[in-house]
Amino acid sequence: MQERYEPGAVEAQAQKHWNDHRSFSAQEDPGREKYYCLSMFPYPSGRLHMGHVRNYTIGDVVTRFMRMNGRNVLQPMGWDAFGLPAENAAMANGVPPAKWTFDNIEYMKGQLKSLGFALDWDRELTTCRPEYYRWNQWLFLRMLEKGIAYQKTGSVNWDPVDKTVLANEQVIDGRGWRTGALVEKREIPMYYLKITAYAEDLLDALNHMPGWPDRVRAMQSNWIGRSEGVRLGFPHDIDGGGVLHAFTTRADTIMGVTFCAVAAEHPLASFAARGNQKLATFIEECRRGPAVEAELATQEKRGMPTGLFVRHPLSGEQVPVWVGNYVLMSYGEGAVMGVPAHDERDFEFAKKYGLPIKQVIQVDGQEYSDEAWQGWYADYGVCVHSGKYDGLSYRAAIDSIAADLSAMGLGEKRTTWRLRDWGISRQRYWGCPIPIVHCERCGAVPVPDEQLPVVLPTNLVPDGSGNPLLKCPEFLKADCPKCGGAARRETDTMDTFVDSSWYFLRFACADNSKAMVDERVRYWLPVDQYIGGIEHAILHLLYARFWTRFMRDLGMVGFSEPFSNLFTQGMVLKEAFFRKPEAGRVEYFDPAEVIVTEDQATQRRTAVLRADGAEVESEGVVTMSKSRRNGIDPQALIDEFGADTARLFMMFAAPPEQSLEWSDEGVQGAFRFIKRLWKAVHDHLSAGAVPALDKTSLNDAQRAVRRQAHQALAKVTDDIGRRRTFNTAIAAVMELLNALAKAPLEAPQDRAVAREAIEIAVLGLAPVIPHVTHVLWEALGHPHAIIDEPWRSVDPEALLSATVEMGVQVNGKMRARITVPADADEATVRAAALADPNVQRFVAGAVVKKVIIVPKKLVSIVV
RNA sequence: GCCCUCGUGGCGGAAUCGGUAGACGCAACGGACUUAAAAUCCGUUGGGCGUAAGCCCAUCCCGGUUCGAGUCCGGGCGAGGGCACCA
């Protein structure tokens, strides 16, 4: 073999082997246990970013490991190819989104290939192709039939200058990103998917998903947000009389109601606004306010009285009705009962507007006072100043109050969900057309199955002023499927989350032009290991779970959960720098162009731009993104050091589940390690013939090397196979190589032991750095490629050791280390510990009260 | 604001079920090789005290449980992710 490690030649050689042998083309084989390893498919944004490299390397390590462990592995790849960035690029460059997208796919596919991922490219799919998205349309029609898809109005961000709908991302400080115009909200008809019909199923199943991280299940559970409470009615005589409904989880505080607050969109608000100009203006302001929940929740709480009153259902007292900007029309009843004494938001609201505060819950005997209030007012306690309910605790009070309300017909227990139905209509061009035709006579008519797919034209270039489909007569013109008359095609397209809600099924049968899924789905699905960014913990994963359930109910798939095991990788972060001019938009700068200095004396960090020497501000260490210009291009890394170094570095720098702060240092270290591995194999082979290992004749030093090798193998196997902590697996092999460098190599059995250790090191790293290990394995004289080699099992005999080292604590402080025979009994260990001179110093003259022995680890002596 | 996660040397991180804190790597420093540099190899490296044996301090902060806490519990501070039209 060559003495020098040359990544270019090595990687070409390995990749050629995999191509020539079609190594990663997966075949259904009922006789073999399958393993479906899937990484979230990329949006073809132009080039791979570090998040991709991290994601796909994790998947590839798992794939190659499972394959070496005998499983029939499928690892496919595709493109999440519809989306907003393509339209933005089109506007900037005048290129149709389709061309931009396909060019990006071609480039990124080349990048993925150069990284040596074990992908089955025969199953590649692209969501912007009609062969794929026709099934979005087909299933949408099934949803319409089942009442799971339906139409209702929803509100959108409207840019009055460009006369177009904006995504939340395109609204900056309440203004359109291109025009700077104040964004308005508009109510328009949209299609919704009734995910709430599956809320209970989606929630309950979370308890039976051991392969998912707790944090993701917790996030989904909170998102679905089941709450048990009471729906109350406040009767009134307004507008002919009626009942104002409000939902509460704290019915025990009902006697503390001093006002009611309704959302700006609530009918009572609209009623009161007639003839009240000030109120109408206020409601209009609320409507214009933020649509994003994070902004809604942090904005100042404001309100205005409607001048209307409702009656308290139990006391009959008059309760004023206010409009509050913190009340959400989309949750519960769009109205809340205001109990300032026992709800933080109500408290703030009441303080601001001078509304009365009435304590009705007592916690640990505390009485209301302005100063002492915060910190316990929302706690559970017993009812006070509540008439017949006095003295009742939370549960008892709710039961009693709900029963009384129910008897009066003014309330009942009810479960409310935070989850809302999924609005999928997008007023955009580059997405899957919604298969609907609008007919003057027949209304909205679904496109019949035999007319699918409704094909999106690929030659349009959006200009920022509305959906270009509206100006495309070839697309717009249609015949009504019902009456045959002239009709207009729906121009809204589907949310791109629809595309990604079922692509994992399609990889099993990407070539089927007759059906959405087929029997191959039964073999491959569910996905055994799904890998993707933590940022998808809620939306994408929840939508996919919902979509799968709908297909299950149609009998198309035989399972409810599409992903048996989920691995959420951390984000790749880097510091971002920006300037915000007095007027105008924030401008970000490439970190490579920023010089950061730290003043030792003042501890003050300053960052200046290389170009003009003036200061820039730091946004902190945040996700790499195009908009922040803080991304590092992995291609430079690959070009300079090769794919193996890029892969090794990404896997070694941090545990894959944690966020990873990018640093340029360390890449050299990864490269250096591969060179050392290469040299170790080269030197070993150059040293001459290696005899067969004779386990019975080994001396202590040889046994020690063997033990270390098999300990490393055990750790690598567990770290990759179970724990997915690739960083520690790599560290274990590094330790082995360090030990080997110091081991004697004179005797023939020295070399035999070294050969075994080297092969373990090469095999153990094969999933991480597949190219170099491919070439090294061949150099070691093996007839099969390493990718076809079975994983090795640990020799338990090799792990045996005659002695162990144990720590000795006296009163909880570490005082000595002792070496005892591995099979020593407790009495022996105890005696050895007490005999240690340093232990004696601390024990002498005291009474030994207790000795705790943790076998092979620790002795704890209490005196 | 709400939900979730994280916080350990100069830096990335290790310590897997409450049991020897700092594995492995980076950086730095010292040395070898070299005319020199790069590359490579060897060594040192949490802080303080001590000639040494060793001792004290140390896992964001405060408190608790325990023979024993980086790990568990309560409270705080800081950072990151998500918040429904970015993907």
Side-chain angles (χ1 to χ4, degrees):
Chain A
M1 71 184 278
Q2 243 192 309
E3 189 173 353
R4 249 176 74 93
Y5 166 57
E6 281 167 23
V10 163
E11 290 174 11
Q13 185 185 333
Q15 288 175 16
K16 182 171 188 306
H17 176 92
W18 302 327
N19 278 334
D20 291 350
H21 292 78
R22 299 180 49 77
S23 297
F24 308 123
S25 170
Q27 306 301 322
E28 293 76 24
D29 180 354
R32 289 178 66 204
E33 198 181 353
K34 63 94 183 180
Y35 192 87
Y36 183 3
C37 182
L38 181 67
S39 293
M40 291 180 187
F41 65 164
Y43 178 78
S45 54
R47 332 188 64 181
L48 291 185
H49 55 65
M50 283 297 174
H52 292 135
V53 177
R54 196 177 193 197
N55 196 160
Y56 303 139
T57 304
I58 293 167
D60 204 49
V61 172
V62 173
T63 291
R64 289 171 180 272
F65 177 83
M66 292 314 291
R67 181 188 168 117
M68 291 175 83
N69 278 277
R71 302 287 280 270
N72 185 23
V73 181
L74 167 62
Q75 184 181 225
M77 184 52 74
W79 307 96
D80 187 14
F82 275 135
L84 198 52
E87 295 196 31
N88 295 339
M91 283 184 250
N93 312 321
V95 182
K99 177 168 169 37
W100 183 84
T101 302
F102 287 120
D103 286 351
N104 288 345
I105 287 173
E106 196 189 340
Y107 183 80
M108 290 171 76
K109 189 171 174 179
Q111 288 191 300
L112 289 174
K113 288 192 166 175
S114 77
L115 279 158
F117 297 133
L119 294 165
D120 181 356
W121 285 104
D122 297 345
R123 296 164 186 264
E124 179 179 6
L125 61 81
T126 306
T127 59
C128 65
R129 291 190 183 277
E131 308 89 272
Y132 181 83
Y133 67 68
R134 66 176 297 171
W135 302 111
N136 286 358
Q137 297 172 344
W138 185 86
L139 204 80
F140 174 80
L141 295 174
R142 303 290 82 76
M143 287 181 167
L144 275 177
E145 288 164 6
K146 300 278 178 195
I148 290 295
Y150 65 97
Q151 208 178 17
K152 73 168 182 185
T153 59
S155 90
V156 293
N157 305 306
W158 179 256
D159 186 319
V161 174
D162 264 351
K163 300 198 186 327
T164 191
V165 175
L166 299 178
N168 285 342
E169 187 190 52
Q170 298 170 316
V171 181
I172 297 158
D173 299 331
R175 291 171 184 277
W177 66 330
R178 282 157 54 84
T179 62
L182 271 177
V183 167
E184 299 168 6
K185 277 194 219 163
R186 280 215 171 172
E187 300 289 318
I188 59 167
M190 301 210 284
Y191 284 94
Y192 283 82
L193 305 186
K194 205 183 276 176
I195 188 171
T196 52
Y198 290 87
E200 197 151 15
D201 187 6
L202 288 166
L203 180 70
D204 293 346
L206 289 171
N207 295 322
H208 313 289
M209 294 166 67
W212 279 41
D214 289 346
R215 61 168 162 167
V216 175
R217 292 188 294 140
M219 278 192 266
Q220 292 218 347
S221 172
N222 291 328
W223 185 261
I224 296 168
R226 179 192 176 106
S227 39
E228 310 286 347
V230 174
R231 179 178 183 253
L232 332 151
F234 292 81
H236 60 76
D237 307 320
I238 304 155
D239 198 16
V243 178
L244 171 66
H245 291 287
F247 174 81
T248 179
T249 56
R250 290 300 303 270
D252 58 319
T253 66
I254 192 172
M255 301 312 286
V257 169
T258 58
F259 67 97
C260 281
V262 299
E265 299 89 349
H266 195 278
L268 271 191
S270 319
F271 176 80
R274 287 184 225 152
N276 182 343
Q277 193 50 49
K278 264 178 79 181
L279 185 63
T281 309
F282 176 68
I283 289 172
E284 189 48 36
E285 278 173 33
C286 291
R287 281 227 176 99
R288 256 208 298 273
V292 179
E293 194 192 314
E295 287 172 43
L296 273 168
T298 47
Q299 73 182 352
E300 193 194 353
K301 280 167 198 48
R302 294 172 57 213
M304 194 173 271
T306 58
L308 305 173
F309 288 84
V310 294
R311 285 191 297 280
H312 192 285
L314 296 174
S315 71
E317 277 173 40
Q318 290 282 299
V319 177
V321 178
W322 286 61
V323 174
N325 68 344
Y326 67 101
V327 184
L328 301 176
M329 194 63 214
S330 55
Y331 181 75
E333 304 288 336
V336 296
M337 65 176 201
V339 186
H342 304 290
D343 180 274
E344 199 177 331
R345 283 175 312 181
D346 295 347
F347 180 78
E348 203 182 310
F349 194 79
K351 276 273 161 198
K352 179 164 180 176
Y353 293 108
L355 292 160
I357 297 169
K358 185 185 169 197
Q359 179 184 12
V360 291
I361 298 292
Q362 199 167 46
V363 181
D364 301 334
Q366 294 179 79
E367 286 294 326
Y368 173 77
S369 77
D370 269 11
E371 305 76 53
W373 203 234
Q374 295 199 12
W376 66 272
Y377 53 14
D379 290 356
Y380 299 113
V382 295
C383 293
V384 293
H385 315 304
S386 299
K388 64 182 277 203
Y389 309 111
D390 280 358
L392 293 180
S393 65
Y394 174 67
R395 291 244 163 256
I398 288 183
D399 287 345
S400 175
I401 287 165
D404 290 350
L405 288 170
S406 183
M408 299 164 71
L410 288 176
E412 66 279 312
K413 285 200 178 176
R414 172 171 285 207
T415 303
T416 292
W417 305 86
R418 211 188 73 95
L419 183 69
R420 305 199 296 262
D421 280 341
W422 174 16
I424 58 154
S425 293
R426 298 288 179 273
Q427 296 69 44
R428 278 198 271 282
Y429 160 51
W430 192 235
C432 167
I434 294 177
I436 294 286
V437 164
H438 297 279
C439 170
E440 296 247 332
R441 279 192 282 177
C442 311
V445 181
V447 174
D449 286 358
E450 57 274 16
Q451 290 180 26
L452 296 184
V454 175
V455 177
L456 187 75
T458 53
N459 58 346
L460 307 183
V461 180
D463 59 6
S465 65
N467 188 341
L469 290 174
L470 289 163
K471 301 166 207 158
C472 177
E474 304 85 71
F475 180 80
L476 273 179
K477 276 176 71 176
D479 300 329
C480 173
K482 240 186 202 168
C483 69
R488 182 183 61 83
R489 210 172 272 293
E490 171 68 57
T491 55
D492 280 1
T493 54
M494 295 185 193
D495 181 2
T496 55
F497 274 124
V498 171
D499 308 322
S500 55
S501 288
W502 67 280
Y503 75 106
F504 42 87
L505 303 174
R506 189 67 182 170
F507 280 126
C509 55
D511 57 0
N512 191 331
S513 59
K514 301 277 184 289
M516 187 175 184
V517 293
D518 63 29
E519 71 288 347
R520 289 172 288 177
V521 169
R522 283 189 194 283
Y523 178 72
W524 289 114
L525 273 286
V527 174
D528 293 279
Q529 181 69 66
Y530 195 38
I531 302 150
I534 184 66
E535 70 274 20
H536 294 291
I538 296 175
L539 292 181
H540 160 60
L541 290 168
L542 195 61
Y543 291 148
R545 295 181 62 218
F546 154 65
W547 196 275
T548 303
R549 277 169 167 72
F550 180 73
M551 290 181 69
R552 172 200 67 191
D553 290 349
L554 289 185
M556 298 176 71
V557 298
F559 50 88
S560 304
E561 293 299 337
F563 314 118
S564 303
N565 295 286
L566 174 68
F567 190 93
T568 49
Q569 58 157 350
M571 313 280 294
V572 184
L573 314 176
K574 179 154 177 77
E575 190 167 12
F577 300 94
F578 69 96
R579 279 181 193 151
K580 182 154 177 25
E582 288 283 315
R585 198 123 12 92
V586 174
E587 188 188 357
Y588 282 94
F589 301 98
D590 182 349
E593 296 302 315
V594 174
I595 303 161
V596 179
T597 48
E598 192 161 345
D599 189 302
Q600 295 290 334
T602 61
Q603 294 279 306
R604 202 181 115 82
R605 264 172 108 245
T606 34
V608 297
L609 191 65
R610 198 187 303 272
D612 58 15
E615 211 165 317
V616 293
E617 284 184 67
S618 169
E619 196 186 352
V621 179
V622 290
T623 326
M624 283 187 181
S625 70
K626 225 173 203 175
S627 59
R628 289 192 182 106
R629 299 191 60 188
N630 63 338
I632 301 275
D633 187 356
Q635 197 58 47
L637 187 62
I638 300 164
D639 292 345
E640 190 173 356
F641 298 101
D644 281 337
T645 294
R647 296 169 58 120
L648 180 66
F649 173 69
M650 287 303 278
M651 293 301 97
F652 183 63
E657 205 148 19
Q658 280 178 33
S659 57
L660 161 67
E661 184 182 337
W662 179 263
S663 84
D664 296 320
E665 297 107 27
V667 176
Q668 281 287 349
F671 187 57
R672 194 176 302 148
F673 174 71
I674 296 177
K675 284 193 288 187
R676 282 184 54 212
L677 177 69
W678 183 276
K679 190 170 181 301
V681 174
H682 176 266
D683 292 354
H684 172 77
L685 289 174
S686 312
V690 179
L693 180 69
D694 176 10
K695 288 200 254 178
T696 56
S697 74
L698 302 183
N699 61 31
D700 283 354
Q702 289 160 350
R703 273 183 213 284
V705 171
R706 240 197 129 224
R707 184 163 59 244
Q708 195 140 16
H710 280 265
Q711 275 170 352
L713 177 61
K715 181 147 180 65
V716 171
T717 307
D718 189 47
D719 284 355
I720 297 181
R722 179 181 65 92
R723 296 210 304 153
R724 311 268 193 251
T725 51
F726 310 129
N727 55 328
T728 53
I730 294 162
V733 179
M734 286 174 167
E735 276 185 86
L736 174 60
L737 230 58
N738 289 344
L740 208 54
K742 290 181 179 131
L745 289 170
E746 292 77 34
Q749 280 301 307
D750 285 344
R751 287 200 296 280
V753 165
R755 164 64 63 108
E756 187 189 23
I758 281 175
E759 293 201 345
I760 284 174
V762 171
L763 263 162
L765 290 171
V768 182
I769 44 175
H771 306 91
V772 67
T773 50
H774 173 90
V775 172
L776 291 177
W777 195 250
E778 194 180 292
L780 284 162
H782 293 279
H784 296 296
I786 197 164
I787 188 66
D788 299 316
E789 201 71 33
W791 196 254
R792 290 231 176 141
S793 45
V794 175
D795 179 0
E797 233 176 88
L799 295 178
L800 296 177
S801 170
T803 60
V804 293
E805 194 192 49
M806 295 176 75
V808 184
Q809 291 184 345
V810 180
N811 284 348
K813 292 216 176 240
M814 196 57 62
R815 294 303 179 189
R817 271 151 214 200
I818 56 171
T819 302
V820 296
D823 55 0
D825 59 20
E826 290 212 352
T828 316
V829 171
R830 180 190 169 118
L834 286 168
D836 183 273
N838 205 45
V839 172
Q840 271 300 313
R841 282 178 49 209
F842 290 92
V843 174
V847 184
V848 175
K849 280 204 268 188
K850 201 171 170 186
V851 177
I852 296 153
I853 296 177
V854 183
K856 305 195 179 188
K857 284 198 170 150
L858 182 112
V859 183
S860 183
I861 299 167
V862 188
V863 301

